[in-house]
Amino acid sequence: MNVAGLITVQPDQTDLLSELACMVGTSFLEEMWYATWLGALDAQEFDQSRKQAIMQAAILADYQATAPYGCVLTLPDQAAAANIYRRSELADASWSTLEERTVSLFEASLSERERHLLAQRTEEMEPISGSDWLLRTVEPSEDFLYVSSVGVDSEQRGTGAFGRLFKPLLGYADEQDIAIYLDCYTDRLEQLYGHYGFELIERKRDPAFAIHERCMVRRPNTANA
């Protein structure tokens, strides 16, 4: 994807991908889905530094799998980054294929015990984290953007980095006349995305977890294109 004002990171820019993964992975230690997921490692042998390394490896695996399709975007000053799919640009790569690539890359960085604990937690959290809602919502031929992740450098919070990253994406979607879909897990994020024109489609809950998934969409505003 070529979005004015943002940099599309190429797959051969390995150092930049790693730097962004470290930044986003660190910020995501506080994101509620990932915090709940990493809760599977709440044992004495898994300290905070190891959890941080695992979170960074998870983001890097996403970036490595999706960068060939133009899905990794960042601000020029790298204060924020996003992993965003455009359906029509995935070419021959299916959703499940990309997920399999990501999992394979990520699991290579884990110990056997870590793989077991995190795979078990992933399965347990499936009712509040599957992509079935999106595939049920869109038409088979519909082009769209899906925001897989957005991260802001923890040292840049409150500086407007999120808006500088997100507003060009909204403008791009309006120009292309396509919807943007995403999910989030807190009231604060639901309100934030609502401020940018996103509407709630569905809430997915599971009594086993305190958090729930908000599935949201922003329809294109062609008047802004």
Side-chain angles (χ1 to χ4, degrees):
M1 251 187 325
N2 293 314
V3 180
L6 302 181
I7 293 172
T8 301
V9 185
Q10 302 303 313
D12 61 352
Q13 294 180 280
T14 54
D15 289 344
L16 180 54
L17 289 172
S18 295
E19 290 170 12
L20 293 173
C22 285
M23 179 269 287
V24 174
T26 299
S27 72
F28 269 28
L29 287 170
E30 301 174 8
E31 199 276 335
M32 291 307 297
W33 190 95
Y34 285 103
T36 304
W37 179 63
L38 286 174
L41 303 180
D42 281 341
Q44 190 172 4
E45 70 264 36
F46 300 109
D47 61 16
Q48 189 66 11
S49 63
R50 181 54 187 158
K51 288 184 179 181
Q52 180 172 324
I54 289 172
M55 191 67 258
Q56 292 169 345
I59 298 298
L60 181 58
D62 273 335
Y63 287 175
Q64 290 172 330
T66 62
Y69 303 94
C71 299
V72 183
L73 297 99
T74 183
L75 288 170
D77 62 2
Q78 299 172 33
N83 194 16
I84 302 180
Y85 304 73
R86 180 167 180 175
R87 188 184 208 175
S88 62
E89 295 187 358
L90 295 182
D92 59 343
S94 68
W95 208 278
S96 60
T97 298
L98 290 177
E99 287 182 344
E100 289 169 4
R101 289 178 187 171
T102 298
V103 170
S104 178
L105 289 165
F106 173 57
E107 288 187 342
S109 69
L110 303 176
S111 69
E112 183 176 350
R113 176 165 167 75
E114 289 166 347
R115 283 195 296 273
H116 170 73
L117 291 173
L118 290 173
Q120 184 178 40
R121 179 56 61 89
T122 299
E123 183 176 350
E124 292 168 350
M125 294 180 68
E126 179 65 21
I128 57 168
S129 54
S131 59
D132 60 307
W133 70 271
L134 176 56
L135 301 179
R136 283 190 282 104
T137 301
V138 300
E139 297 293 332
S141 61
E142 179 184 347
D143 196 12
F144 61 85
L145 300 181
Y146 173 68
V147 181
S148 177
S149 66
V150 178
V152 175
D153 188 336
S154 57
E155 296 182 0
Q156 297 290 329
R157 291 175 182 171
T159 66
F162 179 89
R164 288 194 292 120
L165 177 78
F166 220 69
K167 288 176 182 177
L169 295 170
L170 303 183
Y172 174 85
D174 289 343
E175 291 172 0
Q176 300 294 314
D177 194 24
I178 54 178
I180 310 177
Y181 297 87
L182 57 78
D183 39 42
C184 61
Y185 289 85
T186 65
D187 292 339
R188 181 185 67 83
L189 286 176
E190 182 180 347
Q191 292 168 3
L192 174 64
Y193 289 122
H195 172 75
Y196 285 102
F198 284 81
E199 300 176 353
L200 188 68
I201 299 173
E202 179 182 356
R203 294 183 189 273
K204 296 173 66 176
R205 303 177 187 270
D206 186 303
F209 298 99
I211 62 172
H212 67 272
E213 182 179 17
R214 286 92 160 166
C215 308
M216 306 186 76
V217 63
R218 178 189 181 272
R219 303 293 179 187
N221 185 346
T222 54
N224 293 337

